[in-house]
Amino acid sequence: MIVLGIETSCDETAAAVCEDGKLLSSVVASQEDHAKYGGVVPEVASRMHEKLLMGTVETALSRASVTKKNLHGIAVTRGPGLMGALLTGISFSRGLALGLKIPFLGLNHMEAHIFANFITYPELEFPFICLLVSGGHTQIWKVGGLGNYDLMGETRDDAAGEAFDKGARILGLGYPGGIEIEKAARGGDSTVVNFPRAFFKTDSIEFSFSGLKTSLLRYVENLGGEVPRDQMPDVAASYQSAIVDSLLSKLRLAVDRTGIGTALIGGGVAANRKLRERAGNLFPDCKILYPDIDLCTDNAAMVAFLGEIYLREGKSSINSHCVVPNLRLSD
Ligand code: KG4
Ligand code: ZN
Protein backbone atom coordinates (compact mmCIF):
# COMPACT_ATOMS: atom_id res chain seq x y z
CA MET A 1 0.00 0.00 0.00
CA ILE A 2 1.37 3.45 -0.93
CA VAL A 3 0.32 6.30 1.36
CA LEU A 4 0.94 10.02 1.11
CA GLY A 5 1.30 11.75 4.50
CA ILE A 6 0.75 15.47 5.01
CA GLU A 7 1.64 17.51 8.10
CA THR A 8 0.69 21.17 8.60
CA SER A 9 -0.14 21.41 12.32
CA CYS A 10 2.32 24.21 13.11
CA ASP A 11 5.13 25.84 11.12
CA GLU A 12 6.45 22.89 9.13
CA THR A 13 4.87 22.13 5.76
CA ALA A 14 5.68 18.48 5.23
CA ALA A 15 4.83 15.62 2.88
CA ALA A 16 6.09 12.04 2.78
CA VAL A 17 5.41 8.77 1.01
CA CYS A 18 5.37 5.39 2.72
CA GLU A 19 4.97 1.98 1.07
CA ASP A 20 4.35 -1.18 3.11
CA GLY A 21 5.88 0.39 6.22
CA LYS A 22 8.95 1.69 4.37
CA LEU A 23 9.63 5.35 3.93
CA LEU A 24 10.11 6.29 0.26
CA SER A 25 10.51 10.03 0.76
CA SER A 26 10.11 12.74 3.38
CA VAL A 27 10.19 16.47 2.63
CA VAL A 28 9.96 19.21 5.25
CA ALA A 29 9.71 22.86 4.23
CA SER A 30 10.42 24.80 7.44
CA GLN A 31 8.81 28.21 7.44
CA GLU A 32 11.63 30.58 8.17
CA ASP A 33 9.41 33.68 8.27
CA HIS A 34 8.60 33.03 11.95
CA ALA A 35 12.18 33.39 13.21
CA LYS A 36 12.06 37.18 12.99
CA TYR A 37 9.00 37.23 15.30
CA GLY A 38 10.68 34.89 17.84
CA GLY A 39 7.82 32.39 17.59
CA VAL A 40 5.12 31.00 15.32
CA VAL A 41 2.58 33.54 14.01
CA PRO A 42 -0.57 31.47 13.27
CA GLU A 43 -1.80 33.59 10.35
CA VAL A 44 1.63 33.57 8.72
CA ALA A 45 1.82 29.78 9.19
CA SER A 46 -1.51 29.19 7.41
CA ARG A 47 -0.57 31.42 4.47
CA MET A 48 2.81 29.75 4.12
CA HIS A 49 1.23 26.26 4.15
CA GLU A 50 -1.08 27.39 1.33
CA LYS A 51 1.93 28.56 -0.63
CA LEU A 52 4.22 25.59 0.05
CA LEU A 53 1.89 22.58 0.14
CA MET A 54 1.55 21.75 -3.54
CA GLY A 55 5.30 22.00 -4.23
CA THR A 56 6.18 20.00 -1.10
CA VAL A 57 3.77 17.20 -2.07
CA GLU A 58 5.09 17.12 -5.63
CA THR A 59 8.69 16.91 -4.40
CA ALA A 60 7.77 14.08 -2.01
CA LEU A 61 6.04 12.15 -4.82
CA SER A 62 8.87 12.65 -7.28
CA ARG A 63 11.56 11.68 -4.72
CA ALA A 64 9.56 8.52 -4.03
CA SER A 65 9.28 7.91 -7.80
CA VAL A 66 5.50 7.60 -7.59
CA THR A 67 2.69 9.56 -9.18
CA LYS A 68 -0.61 10.58 -7.62
CA LYS A 69 -2.27 7.71 -9.47
CA ASN A 70 -0.11 5.18 -7.57
CA LEU A 71 -1.43 6.36 -4.19
CA HIS A 72 -3.78 4.11 -2.21
CA GLY A 73 -4.60 6.63 0.51
CA ILE A 74 -3.77 10.00 2.09
CA ALA A 75 -3.17 10.61 5.81
CA VAL A 76 -3.06 14.07 7.33
CA THR A 77 -2.76 15.61 10.80
CA ARG A 78 -6.16 16.75 12.13
CA GLY A 79 -4.94 17.92 15.55
CA PRO A 80 -3.59 19.03 17.90
CA GLY A 81 -2.21 22.19 16.35
CA LEU A 82 -3.13 25.63 15.06
CA MET A 83 -6.66 25.80 13.67
CA GLY A 84 -5.84 27.63 10.42
CA ALA A 85 -2.69 25.61 9.81
CA LEU A 86 -4.53 22.30 10.31
CA LEU A 87 -7.33 23.44 8.01
CA THR A 88 -4.95 24.05 5.12
CA GLY A 89 -3.61 20.47 5.32
CA ILE A 90 -7.02 18.87 5.83
CA SER A 91 -8.68 20.78 2.97
CA PHE A 92 -5.81 20.10 0.59
CA SER A 93 -5.68 16.38 1.46
CA ARG A 94 -9.40 15.85 1.34
CA GLY A 95 -9.67 17.57 -2.06
CA LEU A 96 -6.83 15.47 -3.43
CA ALA A 97 -8.29 12.23 -2.04
CA LEU A 98 -11.76 12.97 -3.42
CA GLY A 99 -10.28 13.77 -6.84
CA LEU A 100 -8.24 10.56 -6.84
CA LYS A 101 -11.13 8.54 -5.32
CA ILE A 102 -8.91 7.11 -2.59
CA PRO A 103 -9.42 7.00 1.21
CA PHE A 104 -8.39 9.92 3.33
CA LEU A 105 -7.65 9.82 7.06
CA GLY A 106 -7.23 12.53 9.71
CA LEU A 107 -4.71 11.58 12.44
CA ASN A 108 -3.53 12.68 15.87
CA HIS A 109 -0.13 14.41 15.58
CA MET A 110 1.04 13.16 19.00
CA GLU A 111 0.17 9.57 18.13
CA ALA A 112 2.24 10.00 14.97
CA HIS A 113 5.18 11.24 17.13
CA ILE A 114 4.99 7.98 19.12
CA PHE A 115 4.90 5.90 15.94
CA ALA A 116 7.91 7.73 14.43
CA ASN A 117 9.91 5.33 16.62
CA PHE A 118 8.73 2.38 14.53
CA ILE A 119 10.33 3.92 11.44
CA THR A 120 13.70 3.94 13.21
CA TYR A 121 13.11 0.60 14.98
CA PRO A 122 10.94 -1.64 12.78
CA GLU A 123 11.31 -4.50 15.30
CA LEU A 124 9.85 -2.43 18.17
CA GLU A 125 7.17 -4.26 20.16
CA PHE A 126 4.40 -3.24 22.55
CA PRO A 127 4.15 -2.50 25.42
CA PHE A 128 6.40 0.46 26.07
CA ILE A 129 6.52 3.74 27.96
CA CYS A 130 6.69 6.90 25.85
CA LEU A 131 7.84 10.33 26.95
CA LEU A 132 6.23 12.75 24.48
CA VAL A 133 7.98 16.10 24.47
CA SER A 134 7.12 18.79 21.93
CA GLY A 135 6.33 22.49 21.73
CA GLY A 136 2.87 22.01 23.22
CA HIS A 137 3.03 18.71 25.12
CA THR A 138 4.98 17.02 27.88
CA GLN A 139 3.39 13.72 28.77
CA ILE A 140 4.28 10.17 29.75
CA TRP A 141 2.17 7.42 28.20
CA LYS A 142 1.94 3.71 28.80
CA VAL A 143 1.39 2.28 25.33
CA GLY A 144 -0.13 -1.21 25.24
CA GLY A 145 -0.80 -1.38 21.50
CA LEU A 146 -2.31 0.58 18.63
CA GLY A 147 -5.04 2.78 20.15
CA ASN A 148 -4.24 1.55 23.69
CA TYR A 149 -2.79 4.57 25.49
CA ASP A 150 -2.79 5.34 29.24
CA LEU A 151 -1.67 8.76 30.37
CA MET A 152 0.69 8.38 33.36
CA GLY A 153 1.42 12.07 33.85
CA GLU A 154 1.86 15.42 32.16
CA THR A 155 2.90 19.02 32.67
CA ARG A 156 0.85 21.36 34.81
CA ASP A 157 1.85 24.41 32.78
CA ASP A 158 4.45 24.90 30.03
CA ALA A 159 5.64 22.07 27.81
CA ALA A 160 9.35 21.21 27.70
CA GLY A 161 9.69 22.60 24.15
CA GLU A 162 7.98 25.79 25.27
CA ALA A 163 10.46 26.03 28.18
CA PHE A 164 13.29 25.83 25.64
CA ASP A 165 11.63 28.40 23.36
CA LYS A 166 10.86 30.87 26.16
CA GLY A 167 14.29 30.35 27.71
CA ALA A 168 15.97 31.08 24.37
CA ARG A 169 13.97 34.30 24.07
CA ILE A 170 15.06 35.40 27.56
CA LEU A 171 18.67 34.61 26.65
CA GLY A 172 18.40 36.59 23.41
CA LEU A 173 18.91 33.46 21.29
CA GLY A 174 16.98 32.57 18.14
CA TYR A 175 13.93 30.45 17.39
CA PRO A 176 13.26 27.52 17.63
CA GLY A 177 14.75 27.72 21.10
CA GLY A 178 15.62 24.07 21.71
CA ILE A 179 18.27 23.83 19.07
CA GLU A 180 19.59 27.33 19.90
CA ILE A 181 19.99 26.50 23.61
CA GLU A 182 21.60 23.20 22.71
CA LYS A 183 24.14 25.04 20.51
CA ALA A 184 24.77 27.78 23.08
CA ALA A 185 25.30 25.14 25.80
CA ARG A 186 28.16 23.43 23.97
CA GLY A 187 31.23 23.33 26.19
CA GLY A 188 29.27 24.83 29.11
CA ASP A 189 29.31 23.59 32.72
CA SER A 190 25.77 22.58 33.65
CA THR A 191 26.48 22.80 37.40
CA VAL A 192 27.19 26.55 37.42
CA VAL A 193 23.59 27.71 37.94
CA ASN A 194 21.30 25.60 40.09
CA PHE A 195 17.96 26.18 38.32
CA PRO A 196 14.87 24.65 39.96
CA ARG A 197 13.60 21.21 39.00
CA ALA A 198 9.92 21.08 39.92
CA PHE A 199 8.57 17.85 41.48
CA PHE A 200 12.11 16.41 41.32
CA LYS A 201 11.93 14.83 44.74
CA THR A 202 8.27 13.83 44.67
CA ASP A 203 6.98 10.47 43.53
CA SER A 204 4.25 11.96 41.34
CA ILE A 205 4.61 11.83 37.58
CA GLU A 206 4.08 15.46 36.66
CA PHE A 207 6.08 18.37 35.34
CA SER A 208 6.13 22.13 35.71
CA PHE A 209 8.42 24.46 33.78
CA SER A 210 6.98 27.92 34.47
CA GLY A 211 9.04 28.38 37.67
CA LEU A 212 12.20 27.44 35.78
CA LYS A 213 11.50 30.07 33.13
CA THR A 214 10.89 32.74 35.82
CA SER A 215 14.07 31.72 37.57
CA LEU A 216 16.05 32.23 34.34
CA LEU A 217 14.38 35.60 33.85
CA ARG A 218 15.40 36.73 37.37
CA TYR A 219 18.93 35.42 36.82
CA VAL A 220 19.29 37.42 33.61
CA GLU A 221 17.76 40.54 35.20
CA ASN A 222 20.33 40.28 37.99
CA LEU A 223 23.04 40.29 35.35
CA GLY A 224 21.68 43.59 34.04
CA GLY A 225 19.39 42.10 31.39
CA GLU A 226 22.01 40.32 29.33
CA VAL A 227 24.20 37.28 29.85
CA PRO A 228 27.86 38.10 29.12
CA ARG A 229 29.09 36.12 26.15
CA ASP A 230 31.65 34.12 28.16
CA GLN A 231 28.97 33.02 30.67
CA MET A 232 26.41 31.98 28.05
CA PRO A 233 27.56 28.33 27.66
CA ASP A 234 27.32 27.72 31.42
CA VAL A 235 23.91 29.40 31.76
CA ALA A 236 22.48 27.64 28.70
CA ALA A 237 23.91 24.28 29.82
CA SER A 238 22.48 24.75 33.34
CA TYR A 239 19.05 25.63 31.98
CA GLN A 240 19.07 22.72 29.53
CA SER A 241 20.13 20.37 32.33
CA ALA A 242 17.22 21.44 34.54
CA ILE A 243 14.77 20.50 31.76
CA VAL A 244 16.52 17.23 30.92
CA ASP A 245 16.75 16.18 34.61
CA SER A 246 13.05 16.87 35.15
CA LEU A 247 12.06 14.84 32.10
CA LEU A 248 14.29 11.86 32.77
CA SER A 249 13.56 11.60 36.50
CA LYS A 250 9.87 11.15 35.72
CA LEU A 251 10.53 8.75 32.85
CA ARG A 252 12.61 6.71 35.29
CA LEU A 253 9.69 6.70 37.74
CA ALA A 254 7.28 5.53 35.04
CA VAL A 255 9.59 2.69 34.04
CA ASP A 256 10.08 1.60 37.67
CA ARG A 257 6.38 1.80 38.42
CA THR A 258 5.28 -0.34 35.47
CA GLY A 259 8.25 -2.68 35.16
CA ILE A 260 8.06 -2.19 31.38
CA GLY A 261 11.56 -2.56 29.97
CA THR A 262 11.29 -0.33 26.90
CA ALA A 263 11.07 3.46 27.04
CA LEU A 264 10.74 5.72 24.01
CA ILE A 265 11.08 9.45 23.61
CA GLY A 266 9.16 11.26 20.88
CA GLY A 267 8.48 14.83 19.72
CA GLY A 268 10.77 17.76 18.85
CA VAL A 269 12.61 17.84 22.21
CA ALA A 270 13.68 14.20 21.64
CA ALA A 271 16.18 15.69 19.15
CA ASN A 272 18.13 17.14 22.10
CA ARG A 273 21.52 15.47 22.29
CA LYS A 274 21.98 16.03 26.03
CA LEU A 275 18.63 14.34 26.67
CA ARG A 276 19.58 11.39 24.48
CA GLU A 277 23.04 11.08 26.02
CA ARG A 278 21.81 11.28 29.61
CA ALA A 279 18.94 8.90 28.95
CA GLY A 280 21.47 6.33 27.76
CA ASN A 281 23.29 6.54 31.13
CA LEU A 282 20.23 6.66 33.33
CA PHE A 283 18.54 3.55 31.94
CA PRO A 284 21.19 0.81 31.88
CA ASP A 285 18.52 -1.77 32.75
CA CYS A 286 16.02 -0.75 30.10
CA LYS A 287 15.92 -0.23 26.33
CA ILE A 288 15.80 3.50 25.72
CA LEU A 289 14.90 4.51 22.17
CA TYR A 290 14.34 7.71 20.24
CA PRO A 291 13.71 8.30 16.52
CA ASP A 292 16.40 9.53 14.13
CA ILE A 293 16.84 13.28 14.66
CA ASP A 294 14.88 14.34 11.56
CA LEU A 295 11.96 12.16 12.66
CA CYS A 296 11.79 13.87 16.09
CA THR A 297 10.78 17.35 14.95
CA ASP A 298 7.61 17.75 12.89
CA ASN A 299 7.57 15.70 9.71
CA ALA A 300 5.08 13.87 7.50
CA ALA A 301 6.94 10.53 7.50
CA MET A 302 5.37 9.68 10.86
CA VAL A 303 1.93 10.67 9.50
CA ALA A 304 2.28 8.53 6.37
CA PHE A 305 3.58 5.60 8.44
CA LEU A 306 0.76 5.69 11.03
CA GLY A 307 -1.76 6.45 8.29
CA GLU A 308 -0.83 3.28 6.46
CA ILE A 309 -1.43 1.21 9.61
CA TYR A 310 -4.94 2.64 10.05
CA LEU A 311 -5.81 2.64 6.34
CA ARG A 312 -4.94 -1.06 6.22
CA GLU A 313 -7.57 -1.56 8.93
CA GLY A 314 -10.08 0.12 6.64
CA LYS A 315 -10.29 3.39 8.60
CA SER A 316 -11.21 6.47 6.56
CA SER A 317 -12.53 9.93 7.43
CA ILE A 318 -13.79 11.05 4.06
CA ASN A 319 -17.08 12.09 5.68
CA SER A 320 -15.59 13.73 8.77
CA HIS A 321 -12.99 16.28 7.95
CA CYS A 322 -13.13 18.36 11.15
CA VAL A 323 -9.91 19.61 12.66
CA VAL A 324 -9.50 19.54 16.45
CA PRO A 325 -6.87 22.05 17.65
CA ASN A 326 -6.78 20.53 21.17
CA LEU A 327 -7.23 16.89 20.12
CA ARG A 328 -6.22 14.49 22.92
CA LEU A 329 -4.74 11.06 22.48
CA SER A 330 -6.96 9.49 25.09
CA ASP A 331 -9.08 10.73 27.99
O1 KG4 B 1 7.34 18.21 17.72
P1 KG4 B 1 7.77 19.59 17.35
O2 KG4 B 1 8.66 19.75 16.15
O3 KG4 B 1 6.50 20.50 17.15
C1 KG4 B 1 5.38 20.38 17.98
O4 KG4 B 1 4.62 19.39 17.81
O5 KG4 B 1 5.27 21.23 18.89
O6 KG4 B 1 8.47 20.22 18.64
C2 KG4 B 1 8.90 21.54 18.60
C3 KG4 B 1 9.67 21.82 19.86
C4 KG4 B 1 10.09 23.28 19.95
O7 KG4 B 1 9.67 23.80 21.19
C5 KG4 B 1 11.59 23.21 19.81
O8 KG4 B 1 12.27 24.23 20.55
C6 KG4 B 1 11.90 21.85 20.37
O9 KG4 B 1 10.86 21.04 19.91
N1 KG4 B 1 13.18 21.33 19.86
C7 KG4 B 1 14.22 21.04 20.67
C8 KG4 B 1 15.27 20.65 19.81
N2 KG4 B 1 14.84 20.70 18.52
C9 KG4 B 1 13.54 21.12 18.57
N3 KG4 B 1 14.35 21.11 22.00
C10 KG4 B 1 15.54 20.78 22.52
N4 KG4 B 1 16.61 20.41 21.78
C11 KG4 B 1 16.53 20.32 20.43
N5 KG4 B 1 17.57 19.96 19.71
ZN1 ZN C 1 5.18 17.79 16.78
Side-chain angles (χ1 to χ4, degrees):
M1 178 180 257
I2 305 182
V3 174
L4 171 68
I6 292 182
E7 158 62 42
T8 64
S9 64
C10 192
D11 59 337
E12 249 88 40
T13 312
V17 180
C18 202
E19 179 177 22
D20 300 333
K22 289 210 182 60
L23 195 59
L24 300 185
S25 69
S26 176
V27 181
V28 180
S30 295
Q31 301 178 5
E32 278 157 21
D33 294 36
H34 303 280
K36 61 175 178 268
Y37 302 108
V40 178
V41 182
E43 180 60 22
V44 174
S46 312
R47 284 170 195 259
M48 290 302 288
H49 286 311
E50 288 285 347
K51 204 163 124 188
L52 296 169
L53 249 175
M54 181 60 96
T56 307
V57 166
E58 276 174 356
T59 309
L61 291 172
S62 98
R63 286 196 192 155
S65 303
V66 302
T67 68
K68 291 190 190 88
K69 294 216 166 82
N70 300 131
L71 296 174
H72 298 106
I74 300 180
V76 60
T77 302
R78 67 187 281 254
L82 302 169
M83 173 68 100
L86 290 165
L87 274 171
T88 60
I90 285 273
S91 315
F92 179 96
S93 310
R94 189 163 184 266
L96 189 55
L98 281 170
L100 294 169
K101 298 189 173 53
I102 56 174
F104 146 87
L105 188 61
L107 294 181
N108 184 308
H109 178 83
M110 301 314 293
E111 188 179 10
H113 270 306
I114 297 177
F115 276 77
N117 278 281
F118 282 93
I119 306 176
T120 303
Y121 307 101
E123 311 298 323
L124 180 62
E125 285 180 9
F126 300 107
F128 49 76
I129 302 294
C130 185
L131 169 67
L132 266 184
V133 269
S134 69
H137 293 75
T138 296
Q139 302 174 322
I140 295 185
W141 292 91
K142 187 166 103 187
V143 180
L146 180 68
N148 179 352
Y149 314 122
D150 282 322
L151 185 62
M152 297 189 71
E154 63 184 329
T155 183
R156 283 197 184 184
D157 41 55
D158 292 349
E162 209 174 345
F164 273 110
D165 295 335
K166 289 178 176 171
R169 206 173 308 159
I170 293 168
L171 292 171
L173 303 171
Y175 176 85
I179 188 109
E180 294 298 325
I181 289 190
E182 183 174 337
K183 273 197 252 160
R186 269 185 213 141
D189 177 352
S190 63
T191 63
V192 169
V193 192
N194 186 20
F195 287 119
R197 285 135 168 89
F199 302 120
F200 199 58
K201 298 216 165 80
T202 71
D203 63 358
S204 67
I205 300 183
E206 54 189 328
F207 307 90
S208 166
F209 295 105
S210 66
L212 169 66
K213 174 196 65 192
T214 309
S215 170
L216 177 69
L217 187 63
R218 297 283 167 269
Y219 186 85
V220 175
E221 278 170 2
N222 285 339
L223 288 173
E226 207 175 328
V227 179
R229 190 189 283 230
D230 61 333
Q231 290 178 33
M232 185 62 94
D234 293 343
V235 177
S238 302
Y239 187 78
Q240 174 174 255
S241 243
I243 299 175
V244 168
D245 285 352
S246 298
L247 295 175
L248 293 182
S249 67
K250 298 304 172 184
L251 183 57
R252 181 72 256 181
L253 213 54
V255 167
D256 291 344
R257 203 164 282 176
T258 57
I260 293 177
T262 306
L264 318 184
I265 311 183
V269 179
N272 187 274
R273 285 187 169 77
K274 188 51 77 184
L275 177 71
R276 296 161 85 105
E277 181 190 307
R278 225 176 266 176
N281 299 332
L282 200 75
F283 294 82
D285 51 334
C286 162
K287 246 195 278 172
I288 177 95
L289 310 172
Y290 22 72
D292 292 337
I293 296 255
D294 53 357
L295 293 171
C296 290
T297 44
D298 285 351
N299 65 84
M302 61 187 192
V303 178
F305 182 86
L306 179 63
E308 192 188 340
I309 295 176
Y310 277 121
L311 286 163
R312 276 186 186 281
E313 291 194 343
K315 293 225 161 91
S316 166
S317 21
I318 207 81
N319 294 320
S320 93
H321 57 284
C322 58
V323 303
V324 184
N326 58 356
L327 184 63
R328 294 206 34 111
L329 201 46
S330 162
D331 286 314

